[in-house]
């Protein structure tokens, strides 16, 4: 194989993005892309397993169940259009419980080693990207909405290794950055009349929550707010009295 042909076949993030249908057409364009690819063929033959790691029995179970229904519906629609190159997709799901790093990594390993998935499409698992390592080793595509700045930092550190990891949502830093702006807009428009411009923050124990809280504290003064209280609160919490007393 010549150098030119090797380069044309090399899989990287840039080539994957070039090969994806434009988002502007939405679902209609995606459906047309699949239908054209299959050229009228019906889904038959060996299934292509698609994995999903979902916290079905943890605190985010309601979100996870909705995500599972959505994934199953999408796969049924794709299969109705002929699947992928005439082969049907099959959803494989593993429970990540409360999204601890060990559970998320175990779920990724099971989907890769036991179910032989070709790709993963997930909602969120707050495990500090621990699952990236087995996924990168397997060289498969991973779509998720972990909503974390750590994703960008991880991929930037070694884009060749993490070429298949995609976070299709903004990172959590924008929640913290934009909240004071939203509050100031409501205050200044008269839609909200606060007793004062003081902010109290009860912070969850996971890095995701800490990043958001830190951004609120950083940005709030520029919008005329003063953060007067910020405390790390363990989870789950059954007694809020002490925290509320301090606020």
């Amino acid at each position: 194989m010549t150098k030119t042909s090797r380069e044309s076949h090399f899989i990287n993030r840039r080539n994957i993005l070039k090969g994806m249908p434009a988002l502007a057409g939405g679902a209609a364009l995606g459906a047309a892309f699949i239908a054209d690819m299959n050229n009228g063929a019906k889904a038959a033959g060996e299934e292509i397993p698609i994995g999903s790691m979902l916290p079905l029995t943890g605190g985010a179970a309601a979100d996870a169940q909705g995500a599972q229904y959505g994934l199953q519906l999408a796969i049924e629609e794709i299969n109705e259009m002929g699947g992928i190159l005439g082969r049907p997709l099959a959803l494989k799901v593993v429970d990540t419980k409360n999204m601890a790093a060990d559970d998320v990594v175990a779920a990724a390993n099971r989907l890769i080693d036991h179910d032989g998935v070709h790709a993963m499409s997930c909602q969120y698992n707050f495990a500090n990207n621990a699952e990236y390592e087995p996924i990168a080793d397997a060289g498969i595509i991973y779509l998720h909405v972990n909503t974390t700045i750590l994703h960008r930092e991880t991929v930037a550190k070694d884009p060749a290794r993490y070429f298949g990891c995609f976070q299709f949502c903004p990172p959590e830093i924008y929640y913290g950055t934009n909240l004071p702006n939203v509050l100031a807009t409501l205050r200044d428009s008269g839609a909200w009349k606060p007793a004062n411009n003081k902010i109290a923050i009860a912070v969850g124990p996971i890095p995701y929550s800490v990043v958001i809280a830190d951004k609120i504290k950083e940005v709030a003064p520029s919008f005329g707010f003063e953060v007067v209280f910020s405390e790390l609160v363990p989870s789950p919490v059954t007694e809020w009295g002490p925290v509320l007393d301090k606020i």
Side-chain angles (χ1 to χ4, degrees), residues 127-201:
N128 296 335
N129 292 3
E131 75 277 18
Y132 274 37
E133 301 314 314
I135 289 170
D137 289 341
I140 63 174
I141 301 301
Y142 174 42
L143 307 174
H144 67 81
V145 287
N146 287 345
T147 323
T148 171
I149 191 63
L150 185 60
H151 162 83
R152 189 169 72 188
E153 295 170 352
T154 301
V155 173
K157 180 177 62 179
D158 193 346
R161 174 166 173 75
Y162 304 110
F163 79 93
C165 297
F166 293 89
Q167 176 172 275
F168 53 102
C169 63
E172 80 286 69
I173 59 170
Y174 295 110
Y175 295 158
T177 300
N178 288 325
L179 178 61
N181 184 19
V182 172
L183 294 177
T185 300
L186 293 171
R187 177 196 61 199
D188 297 344
S189 69
W192 173 50
K193 297 180 174 61
N196 54 53
N197 287 316
K198 297 178 179 180
I199 291 178
I201 306 174

Side-chain angles (χ1 to χ4, degrees), residues 194-233:
N196 54 53
N197 287 316
K198 297 178 179 180
I199 291 178
I201 306 174
V203 189
I206 61 175
Y208 173 88
S209 300
V210 173
V211 169
I212 294 173
D214 286 345
K215 279 296 177 182
I216 293 173
K217 287 184 278 188
E218 176 186 328
V219 173
S222 63
F223 290 95
F225 293 105
E226 179 188 3
V227 177
V228 296
F229 171 82
S230 179
E231 180 166 316
L232 191 68
V233 179

Side-chain angles (χ1 to χ4, degrees), residues 96-130:
T96 56
K97 304 171 186 176
N98 279 310
M99 300 180 283
D102 288 347
D103 290 325
V104 176
V105 171
N109 284 327
R110 178 173 177 82
L111 288 169
I112 293 167
D113 298 333
H114 181 268
D115 296 309
V117 299
H118 292 213
M120 293 189 201
S121 181
C122 308
Q123 56 158 51
Y124 53 79
N125 285 288
F126 300 137
N128 296 335
N129 292 3

